[in-house]
Amino acid sequence: MREQILEILRKDARTSSEMIADLIGSDAETVAKEIAEMEEEGVIRRYKTIIDREKAGDERVFAFIDVRVSPTRGVGFDDVARRIYRYPEVHSVYLVSGDYDLRVVVEGETMKEVAFFVADKLSTLDGVLSTQSNFLLKKYKEDGDIFDDIEEDTGRLLIS
Amino acid sequence: MKPISQTVEHYPPSGIRKFFDIVSQMDDVVSLGVGEPDFVTPWRIREAAINSLERGRTSYTSNWGLLELRRVISRYLEGYSGLCYNPENSVLITVGVSEGMDLTMRTLLNPGDEVIITEPCYVSYKACVELAGGKAVTVEAKKERDFVVDPKDIEAAVTDKTKAVLVSYPSNPTGAVADKKTLREIVDIAVKHDLYIVSDEIYDRLVYDGEHVSVPTLPGAFERTVLLNGFSKAYAMTGWRIGYAAGPTEVIKNMMKIHQYTMLCAPINAQNAAIEAIVNGAKDREDMRREYGRRRRVIVKGFREAGLDCFMPGGAFYAFPNVESTGLTSEEFCEKLLFEHKVAAVPGTAFGACGEGNIRCSYATSIEDIVTAIDRIKAFVAGLK
């Protein structure tokens, strides 16, 4: 039941409890209760809107910063990661396998702002060995949503 | 000019197309009349087809179809229902089930042979039998049985001319799914009277409550059943025109003869796409099935709220609500609904006279459109009172 509710809400967070109940063959009260419980437990953290920033005229820039870190005894990478993610400029932080340890997504008004943030704040942190900045040029798909507008007119017949 | 064939000249066109011309002239129509998935073919399948074109795979294939495709179908059927078909001589790749049905009837029937068909049913069955020189004997699947045929009615229709019985569950247009007991009884009748069974299982992967029962898995059925299936519905591949027939070697071999002279082979690109579908398409297929299953609940609830009787269909993507309470015939209901409220549905009568009183509504359309259509139908039905 939870899995089904989450799947529906992931696609459209505004789906009503009544509609979810109809879709999965339950009743609205049970669904509402289950959602409330998941909100309580932090399974559902909050509801956001997916915005096509480009269309919204938002000119902010994003960069993916690959950070190499020397882990600290006892806390591993957590300590550095926590220092990084507290900055509001930091959009996401992931610990990843491969040549780098942390993948940090930074947003800013301009490229210069982001570059300065990396030079001033990120690379100077204790434990940070190196950084490599990759600026986002075009977003094709994010979190399952395609931002690349291509016409897909299927031409399906209305009666068949 | 001399007149064309009498048979064809007087043959009625498909009733399903009747509203098509009107609908395409109108704006803002929400259509519940569509008999195909609203999903585009999953990308992995399209990509496989593009790749196969880039590699220059544009030739004829074996008349039977690509051996690789027949092999994966054979393996798939073994894993799915335990059926063992030899890919070398018991599986034929066809241009959809439509061609498979035509080949089956042309292969099985001598002039005057009878085929028992359950109505309401898909529009091509009767035509395939009759154009092959056979006689279609129709049996009615009754509303009281949620449109699952009563095997006794099939037995009552058997004569010494009966050659085959055609079974198709899940059903287009009703969405009915036959239970195992009913299907066993039908198989027993076929065994008793030595009849072929033609089983169109194109909607087998779109079953929402319980498991699909494949007819040839039933005792006594395998050696007398031509199983017809394809990729159109389960993998959203209608326009590729790709399907298969599996059955007794003697029958399939002879179907292949007609196929080689009339079709030569199914399009190679569709065959390559089908390989990808069957090998890697299970998740996409299941995602679509789950989605249809949900829409089904919404649309059925909507009809009931509108005051129309509607049984919960177990499969395919059609609901078959009853409109008799409105005092209108199926055709009147659909016409008024279209002209006055801009919702397109297909009258049950397009699928046989016994479809009178019901309308076929496809839920292979977005949930938003289903909600809009239901709102309009509610307003329409309320206005009739």
Side-chain angles (χ1 to χ4, degrees):
Chain A
M1 167 110 152
R2 282 194 165 193
E3 206 181 315
Q4 296 206 66
I5 295 173
L6 289 174
E7 193 204 322
I8 293 166
L9 287 178
R10 268 179 70 100
K11 282 188 202 139
D12 183 359
R14 287 165 47 145
T15 315
S16 67
S17 302
E18 288 77 20
M19 177 55 88
I20 296 175
D22 286 353
L23 289 166
I24 67 175
S26 177
D27 61 275
E29 234 170 87
T30 313
V31 171
K33 191 165 154 274
E34 199 68 39
I35 292 174
E37 274 173 28
M38 287 193 282
E39 287 170 352
E40 185 71 23
E41 291 167 28
V43 173
I44 296 175
R45 300 184 84 95
R46 63 198 180 93
Y47 302 91
K48 293 202 299 187
T49 304
I50 295 154
I51 296 166
D52 190 325
R53 288 172 187 263
E54 208 168 303
K55 281 191 183 153
D58 183 343
E59 302 274 301
R60 269 182 298 174
V61 293
F62 283 79
F64 301 92
I65 320 293
D66 292 325
V67 184
R68 275 182 61 218
V69 177
S70 72
T72 329
R73 195 181 184 96
V75 289
F77 296 100
D78 293 352
D79 197 36
V80 180
R82 283 181 190 130
R83 279 170 168 273
I84 293 173
Y85 74 55
R86 286 193 163 90
Y87 283 104
E89 295 93 326
V90 173
H91 185 268
S92 346
V93 179
Y94 309 97
L95 177 64
V96 296
S97 65
D99 289 345
Y100 293 86
D101 304 304
L102 295 176
R103 162 147 288 207
V104 179
V105 182
V106 176
E107 62 175 293
E109 294 294 331
T110 60
M111 275 174 87
K112 204 167 160 187
E113 191 184 304
V114 172
F116 274 119
F117 174 78
V118 173
D120 274 5
K121 307 292 182 195
L122 277 192
S123 50
T124 55
L125 277 178
D126 275 353
V128 169
L129 302 173
S130 72
T131 64
Q132 187 184 310
S133 304
N134 311 279
F135 281 91
L136 173 72
L137 302 180
K138 180 172 177 181
K139 188 196 293 183
Y140 292 98
K141 185 177 182 182
E142 188 175 83
D143 258 350
D145 290 295
I146 292 171
F147 287 79
D148 191 29
D149 288 329
I150 47 167
E151 291 266 328
E152 271 198 21
D153 177 13
T154 63
R156 195 166 73 128
L157 304 179
L158 285 168
I159 306 258
S160 59
Chain B
M1 294 292 270
K2 289 182 180 176
I4 60 162
S5 147
Q6 290 287 299
T7 319
V8 180
E9 189 177 6
H10 300 295
Y11 211 80
S14 162
I16 222 167
R17 305 273 164 196
K18 191 164 177 189
F19 286 142
F20 178 73
D21 293 334
I22 311 169
V23 173
S24 48
Q25 306 285 317
M26 291 172 69
D27 289 331
D28 190 33
V29 171
V30 176
S31 183
L32 302 178
V34 184
E36 64 176 322
D38 60 316
F39 297 103
V40 180
T41 307
W43 174 249
R44 72 179 69 254
I45 299 170
R46 287 188 276 160
E47 204 276 336
I50 293 166
N51 179 49
S52 122
L53 286 177
E54 280 173 346
R55 286 168 174 238
R57 292 181 187 150
T58 59
S59 59
Y60 292 131
T61 71
S62 148
N63 296 130
W64 291 90
L66 293 168
L67 183 59
E68 188 190 353
L69 176 57
R70 284 179 280 139
R71 281 194 176 131
V72 295
I73 288 171
S74 172
R75 265 202 300 276
Y76 158 84
L77 286 173
E78 194 174 350
Y80 169 46
S81 52
L83 295 166
C84 289
Y85 290 103
N86 183 344
E88 309 269 348
N89 58 21
S90 304
V91 179
L92 173 67
I93 305 305
T94 60
V95 180
V97 170
S98 295
E99 191 212 352
M101 185 62 73
D102 182 37
L103 294 178
T104 308
M105 294 309 166
R106 288 207 268 166
T107 301
L108 294 182
L109 302 182
N110 286 314
D113 280 352
E114 295 177 359
V115 178
I116 299 173
I117 292 173
T118 303
E119 283 187 336
C121 69
Y122 182 55
V123 294
S124 86
Y125 297 163
K126 208 171 173 180
C128 284
V129 172
E130 291 174 347
L131 292 172
K135 185 179 166 208
V137 176
T138 54
V139 165
E140 184 181 338
K142 300 214 169 61
K143 294 180 179 72
E144 304 79 71
R145 290 176 51 89
D146 285 352
F147 296 100
V148 174
V149 68
D150 188 337
K152 288 191 203 77
D153 293 338
I154 288 183
E155 180 135 45
V158 175
T159 71
D160 52 5
K161 291 233 168 125
T162 309
K163 192 66 158 290
V165 54
L166 201 159
V167 186
S168 73
Y169 294 103
S171 156
N172 173 8
T174 66
V177 169
D179 54 287
K180 196 168 188 171
K181 180 170 166 284
T182 301
L183 292 173
R184 279 186 92 134
E185 285 171 23
I186 296 172
V187 171
D188 289 345
I189 293 163
V191 172
K192 184 172 152 197
H193 299 279
D194 191 25
L195 309 176
Y196 287 100
I197 301 169
V198 181
S199 190
D200 175 357
E201 302 188 14
I202 186 70
Y203 290 100
D204 68 337
R205 283 298 188 172
L206 301 178
V207 169
Y208 309 107
D209 312 309
E211 297 271 302
H212 171 72
V213 180
S214 180
V215 172
T217 62
L218 298 170
F222 186 77
E223 59 271 27
R224 61 182 65 250
T225 301
V226 178
L227 170 66
L228 300 175
N229 209 332
F231 297 81
S232 295
K233 313 294 178 172
Y235 302 94
M237 291 178 70
T238 47
W240 300 80
R241 309 308 307 124
I242 186 83
Y244 58 90
T249 310
E250 261 320 290
V251 178
I252 298 293
K253 259 166 57 183
N254 283 289
M255 285 168 66
M256 200 286 281
K257 271 196 273 179
I258 307 175
H259 174 79
Q260 78 180 172
Y261 290 129
T262 55
M263 204 60 69
L264 210 159
C265 67
I268 185 171
N269 201 40
Q271 293 193 52
N272 280 310
I275 292 172
E276 176 66 17
I278 215 155
V279 174
N280 293 314
K283 187 179 177 297
D284 289 314
R285 187 186 70 210
E286 188 52 26
D287 286 349
M288 291 187 278
R289 187 193 70 86
R290 199 166 52 238
E291 190 63 35
Y292 294 132
R294 288 174 178 167
R295 296 170 183 180
R296 172 188 66 136
R297 294 200 183 95
V298 173
I299 202 168
V300 169
K301 183 167 176 251
F303 288 131
R304 290 174 180 168
E305 284 172 358
L308 303 176
D309 260 354
C310 186
F311 81 104
M312 182 62 81
F317 39 59
Y318 308 103
F320 205 56
N322 187 282
V323 298
E324 283 168 325
S325 62
T326 62
L328 300 176
T329 65
S330 304
E331 195 145 325
E332 287 166 351
F333 187 94
C334 288
E335 264 176 39
K336 280 177 181 283
L337 181 62
L338 178 59
F339 286 119
E340 295 170 18
H341 294 267
K342 298 193 168 184
V343 175
V346 182
T349 44
F351 309 95
C354 64
E356 180 55 79
N358 291 74
I359 61 170
R360 188 193 77 169
C361 296
S362 162
Y363 49 86
T365 191
S366 71
I367 201 80
E368 292 79 13
D369 277 0
I370 290 173
V371 170
T372 308
I374 288 293
D375 285 347
R376 292 181 185 183
I377 290 170
K378 280 179 182 167
F380 174 51
V381 174
L384 289 169
K385 288 191 176 134

